[in-house]
Amino acid sequence: MLKFLFSRHRSAYIRLAFKFNTTPEHVYKIAHGQSVHGQKDSDIMHELLDLRIVHRHRHSQNPDDYEM
């Protein structure tokens, strides 16, 4: 719990949490491999991709294939 506080991306997690009306911990978990369920989580994942906090596998065109 509250692992995001020790992350170098904590400010991004907090900012995204406010933007998507969720907790920074939830954003942190998505960034670290938690399954994405629903449109809000998908939007969070795309923001994390845009911020280059997570990356897609180079060889895959499937948007569900992410690497941290």
Side-chain angles (χ1 to χ4, degrees), residues 13-66:
Y13 298 148
I14 292 168
R15 203 171 41 248
L16 289 174
F18 279 115
K19 181 176 181 177
F20 291 102
N21 195 31
T22 189
T23 65
E25 187 72 17
H26 182 72
V27 176
Y28 173 88
K29 287 179 180 179
I30 291 172
H32 287 85
Q34 177 178 309
S35 296
V36 175
H37 301 287
Q39 186 61 43
K40 181 172 28 173
D41 286 357
S42 180
D43 291 344
I44 291 169
M45 179 56 84
H46 286 285
E47 291 277 344
L48 291 167
L49 282 165
D50 291 343
L51 294 171
R52 298 182 183 261
I53 293 173
V54 297
H55 306 278
R56 285 192 179 134
H57 291 286
R58 280 188 231 147
H59 65 279
S60 177
Q61 296 299 318
N62 185 352
D64 293 330
D65 291 340
Y66 298 107

Side-chain angles (χ1 to χ4, degrees), residues 4 6 31 67:
F4 80 93
F6 303 103
E67 82 179 36

